[in-house]
Amino acid sequence: MMSKATKRPRESAVTDTPVLARLAALKRMSVRELKAEWEVLFRNPAPNNSRGYLEMRLAWRIQELSLGGLSRETARMLDLLADEIDGASDRKAIIADPRNPVIGTRLVREWDGVEHTVTVMRDGFEWQGRRFKSLSAAARAISGSNWNGYRFFGLGDARRVER
C-alpha cells in the first residue's frame, strides 16, 4: 500500500475525497477530464473517448481503491467462467456452487407421499439412476414443475449464510 508521501499530489487529493463525492464528480467532468482522471488512477492512457465507458470504469476503480477489489475467490470464479466460455481452459474446471453439499451427501425429500433421495455427485446429482447437472433439474423431474432445487431440498438458506 502506498503512503501519502509516495503518492503524486493530484492522486493524494483524489483519494482523500469521499467515494460518493468522487463518483458524483465524474458526471460533471468533460471527456478530457475523465481521460486525465483515468491516467491518474490507472497509470495508463485512457483506451477510448466513450464517456459512458470511461465513467463506468473510473467509478469501478475509485470504489476498488477505496473499498477493496474482488475477493480472491470471486476473481478465481470469474477466471474459471471466462475460461469455460472461451473454451480456453486446458483443465476440466468444474465450477462448484458453494451451496452444494459435500460429494456423496444424500438429500431426502418427500413428495406426494413418496420419499425421494438425490445423491450429490462430483459433476451433478443422481436420482433413480438418472444424472442431472443441477439440483433444480432433479427437483423438476421429481415434482413435475419448476423449483429452485436448493429450496426444494431445504437448502434455501445456505446462500444467505455465504453472504
Side-chain angles (χ1 to χ4, degrees):
M1 183 93 189
M2 294 178 135
S3 70
K4 284 191 180 186
T6 62
K7 292 180 185 176
R8 291 184 244 165
R10 168 117 171 87
E11 186 176 359
S12 180
V14 169
T15 55
D16 290 342
T17 308
V19 175
L20 291 177
R22 291 175 62 199
L23 296 176
L26 293 175
K27 290 290 186 193
R28 295 187 301 270
M29 291 181 182
S30 67
V31 171
R32 179 171 285 157
E33 291 169 322
L34 289 170
K35 291 177 93 170
E37 186 74 5
W38 182 285
E39 289 188 24
V40 169
L41 295 177
F42 287 98
R43 295 198 170 108
N44 286 315
N48 64 38
N49 290 321
S50 166
R51 177 179 193 81
Y53 178 80
L54 293 171
E55 284 180 8
M56 177 184 63
R57 289 291 291 127
L58 285 168
W60 169 263
R61 184 68 174 157
I62 289 167
Q63 293 174 81
E64 178 185 35
L65 292 172
S66 298
L67 307 172
L70 298 173
S71 69
R72 187 173 297 149
E73 180 61 29
T74 300
R76 181 180 165 278
M77 181 67 75
L78 289 172
D79 286 342
L80 288 173
L81 285 169
D83 286 351
E84 191 173 290
I85 289 169
D86 292 341
S89 179
D90 294 340
R91 61 194 180 282
K92 276 284 199 184
I94 295 173
I95 299 173
D97 190 320
R99 297 174 292 175
N100 285 348
V102 176
I103 295 169
T105 300
R106 294 173 40 162
L107 304 171
V108 180
R109 165 75 194 261
E110 185 178 319
W111 183 259
D112 282 344
V114 178
E115 188 175 275
H116 298 273
T117 303
V118 171
T119 304
V120 179
M121 309 299 282
R122 181 177 179 272
D123 57 349
F125 303 89
E126 184 179 66
W127 172 69
Q128 293 184 345
R130 293 172 48 198
R131 293 279 183 128
F132 299 91
K133 288 186 177 184
S134 72
L135 199 49
S136 295
R140 186 172 29 261
I142 292 168
S143 67
S145 61
N146 288 332
W147 269 90
N148 175 307
Y150 299 99
R151 283 213 175 121
F152 184 81
F153 287 98
L155 303 173
D157 291 338
R159 182 184 217 175
R160 280 185 233 133
V161 171
E162 277 287 312
R163 290 182 186 170

